[in-house]
Amino acid sequence: MNKISLRIADLRKEFWNQKLEYLLRTRKSYWNDDYTRFLISQVWKIDKPVSVLDCGCGYGFLGLLLLPYLPEGSTYTGIDFAEDLIKKGKALFAGIFFLENFAFFCMISFCTIDNH
């Protein structure tokens, strides 16, 4: 990655690290519990444990929303490049008995080698 790309990545990380209060205040209004339960049991028909991977997880809103309605044994992994959001996610999940894992990872710096 060149210096400009790295600087852009740093600016994005700074931006999202400063948005925790906004995210906590606004995410809950996107979904309601009844609809989430309906999607999992009636539409997606999930009746066995699943593993959820949430790229760009922030503080883990999706995991907090889904895990209470997923079958016992389901797991959640959240990946984000905003370290402050990952720390908040770990704290939010600390008192809840779900299998979870949060990872700090900057997807912007991830490069693949084209083998075609």
Side-chain angles (χ1 to χ4, degrees):
M1 266 180 112
N2 63 37
K3 288 181 182 180
I4 293 173
S5 296
L6 288 173
R7 181 63 185 140
I8 291 170
D10 287 342
L11 289 172
R12 287 181 181 154
K13 185 186 333 180
E14 288 173 32
F15 174 83
W16 284 110
N17 274 331
Q18 296 172 11
K19 295 296 181 185
L20 176 60
E21 292 307 316
Y22 166 77
L23 293 171
L24 289 169
R25 192 175 63 251
T26 60
R27 297 304 106 165
K28 189 63 179 163
S29 63
Y30 286 177
W31 299 89
N32 67 52
D33 293 337
D34 293 336
Y35 186 62
T36 302
R37 189 175 324 130
F38 169 75
L39 285 174
I40 290 170
S41 65
Q42 302 300 311
V43 178
W44 301 332
K45 299 184 187 293
I46 299 174
D47 58 1
K48 295 181 179 120
V50 295
S51 296
V52 177
L53 173 62
D54 186 2
C55 297
C57 68
Y59 65 90
F61 169 75
L62 188 61
L64 292 169
L65 176 72
L66 296 177
L67 282 173
Y69 305 110
L70 290 173
E72 188 175 333
S74 293
T75 62
Y76 173 81
T77 300
I79 299 172
D80 205 299
F81 71 116
E83 293 172 82
D84 291 351
L85 296 178
I86 291 290
K87 288 177 189 173
K88 180 63 175 180
K90 287 180 178 181
L92 287 170
F93 277 76
I96 303 172
F97 299 103
F98 297 127
L99 295 175
E100 53 79 20
N101 181 37
F102 282 91
F104 165 71
F105 183 75
C106 183
M107 297 296 287
I108 296 168
S109 65
F110 181 74
C111 297
T112 60
I113 299 172
D114 190 359
N115 291 324
H116 300 274

